[in-house]
Amino acid sequence: MPVEEPLLETTEKTLVPPGVAGYDVRVRIRDGETPVFGPGRLSLLRAIDATGSISAAARQMGMSYRRAWLLVEAMNHEFREPLVTRHIGGVSGGGAQLTPFAQNLTAHYDTLIREIRSLLDAHVPTFDAYLKGASEQDPDDV
């Protein structure tokens, strides 16, 4: 049986011992052939939300500030509304935050992943029966 993981994981992977069926889920949203949203961008948005800063989020993720900034710029242009707003530094320093539009987008993405995992969880026992070391039960009887 799959082990439940926190919803904050962006690449959903069930953690199971050898000989037990599991799966990976990696969903990317595309605009035509262009990927516009997926686990990596979701991780960046979550890091920005947690740190209040693109540079701090980049450091947390082991990513260059330039890469993070370019991803934020791309996301802000690919969607009909910006996902991240930036505040220029000053006495209190700059910062960044997610827009309500981004919060809705990430919530819908989380729901999609949760529903996909639920569907896969229902089918894992069938694949368990096909694995070596499984009981002698016919997979079609699962």
Side-chain angles (χ1 to χ4, degrees):
M1 175 153 32
V3 175
E4 193 65 30
E5 290 188 335
L7 205 52
L8 293 179
E9 292 297 320
T10 56
T11 300
E12 300 290 326
K13 182 183 274 190
T14 58
L15 301 175
V16 295
V20 177
Y23 56 84
D24 298 339
V25 177
R26 185 173 185 97
V27 176
R28 290 192 181 109
I29 306 302
R30 298 181 179 276
D31 180 1
E33 290 298 311
T34 305
V36 295
F37 196 75
R41 291 180 181 203
L42 178 64
S43 291
L44 178 58
L45 291 180
R46 288 198 167 128
I48 291 168
D49 195 37
T51 63
S53 160
I54 295 172
S55 60
R59 279 191 303 277
Q60 179 179 312
M61 295 181 67
M63 174 187 298
S64 73
Y65 171 76
R66 177 169 169 69
R67 174 93 173 118
W69 186 83
L70 288 172
L71 284 169
V72 167
E73 284 295 304
M75 286 187 283
N76 280 347
H77 290 327
E78 291 163 343
F79 290 92
R80 67 168 205 255
E81 292 183 28
L83 301 184
V84 177
T85 57
R86 294 181 303 272
H87 311 286
I88 303 303
V91 175
S92 61
Q97 67 183 34
L98 300 189
T99 63
F101 186 82
Q103 292 168 347
N104 286 336
L105 175 68
T106 60
H108 285 288
Y109 186 86
D110 285 341
T111 298
L112 174 65
I113 297 299
R114 188 173 26 256
E115 289 176 3
I116 290 169
R117 284 181 57 98
S118 178
L119 178 65
L120 289 168
D121 286 346
H123 290 276
V124 165
T126 300
F127 290 96
D128 261 345
Y130 281 100
L131 294 175
K132 217 179 221 184
S135 66
E136 295 298 318
Q137 185 175 8
D138 186 339
D140 294 328
D141 292 338
V142 175

